[in-house]
Amino acid sequence: MKKLTKFLTSASIGISMSSVIFLIKDYVYDSAMKEHEIFTIMIAVFVPLFAVGTLLSVLLSKKIDRQKLLTFGLLFSGIFIILLTYLNIYHLQMLMPLMKTNSITLAVMWIARIMGGLTGLFIGISFGAAVKNSVLHYILLVLFAAGIFALGRFMPELISYEPVLYTAGGLSLACALLNSYIETEKKKNE
């Protein structure tokens, strides 16, 4: 069970990181009415906060259990990926039908910037907490990230972005629950 959880956690971190960097670009670009700067700004916020999250998890792992940091990072990165996917211009138009389209486009752009940055922070925390896993898990992380990149580049007409992004968020949430379960079982056995 523990090896399966480590495998799924590595896959989840790789898929989450790659989907935010590579897939959300086109998805947010389409949902923000083809605003060109939205992705550049989102990644400009994502990358430094990813580095901060990684650094924080490495520094905090001496005070806080690595398993708790991993669960915390996976939980919130999953939540933010799902919210980032759901809050596009079409869903916001349904939630706020009296708002102008330009106002909703601006709201989507700000949501993407903020959520992209926060997602980067929490993916960085989970990535930094998973640093002590074996080399096989790093290879899996890179393979899943490369697979999502290839999927986003070569098959966007075949598969919609939404199911892949919802799957990435759901996988992060499931891995957070699995890691939490392992943590409670470990405490029971001690």
Side-chain angles (χ1 to χ4, degrees):
M1 177 76 169
K2 201 169 185 179
K3 288 185 179 187
L4 177 66
T5 302
K6 284 186 178 183
F7 169 79
L8 287 174
T9 300
S10 296
S12 171
I13 294 169
I15 289 171
S16 297
M17 192 169 31
S18 185
S19 65
V20 170
I21 292 173
F22 300 117
L23 293 184
I24 292 229
K25 170 183 75 167
D26 297 327
Y27 179 71
V28 170
Y29 177 72
D30 288 340
S31 67
M33 305 287 245
K34 313 275 192 247
E35 291 290 336
H36 294 286
E37 295 180 12
I38 182 69
F39 175 68
T40 308
I41 294 170
M42 189 180 90
I43 292 301
V45 174
F46 175 88
V47 171
L49 285 177
F50 176 81
V52 167
T54 304
L55 184 66
L56 274 174
S57 69
V58 170
L59 293 175
L60 291 175
S61 66
K62 295 173 182 147
K63 295 180 181 179
I64 301 172
D65 185 25
R66 186 179 63 85
Q67 195 74 21
K68 286 181 183 176
L69 280 174
L70 185 62
T71 303
F72 179 74
L74 287 169
L75 176 70
F76 282 102
S77 65
I79 289 169
F80 285 128
I81 287 173
I82 290 172
L83 284 175
L84 188 59
T85 306
Y86 180 74
L87 295 175
N88 61 23
I89 196 164
Y90 308 111
H91 293 126
L92 283 180
Q93 189 73 50
M94 286 189 296
L95 293 173
M96 299 175 271
L98 299 177
M99 276 184 80
K100 294 180 186 176
T101 304
N102 291 344
S103 300
I104 290 182
T105 302
L106 287 173
V108 167
M109 290 169 59
W110 279 103
I111 288 169
R113 292 172 187 157
I114 293 168
M115 294 282 194
L118 290 173
T119 304
L121 178 71
F122 290 112
I123 289 174
I125 287 173
S126 57
F127 179 77
V131 165
K132 295 183 181 180
N133 286 344
S134 67
V135 175
L136 176 65
H137 295 287
Y138 291 119
I139 293 169
L140 289 172
L141 190 142
V142 170
L143 285 176
F144 277 105
I148 291 295
F149 170 73
L151 183 69
R153 291 293 136 226
F154 303 119
M155 294 189 292
E157 293 85 24
L158 298 176
I159 300 172
S160 174
Y161 293 116
E162 280 183 298
V164 176
L165 293 171
Y166 281 131
T167 302
L171 185 60
S172 288
L173 290 174
C175 288
L177 290 173
L178 279 172
N179 281 300
S180 176
Y181 174 74
I182 285 176
E183 183 181 335
T184 55
E185 287 297 315
K186 183 180 169 184
K187 285 183 181 180
K188 283 181 183 177
N189 291 337
E190 289 177 355

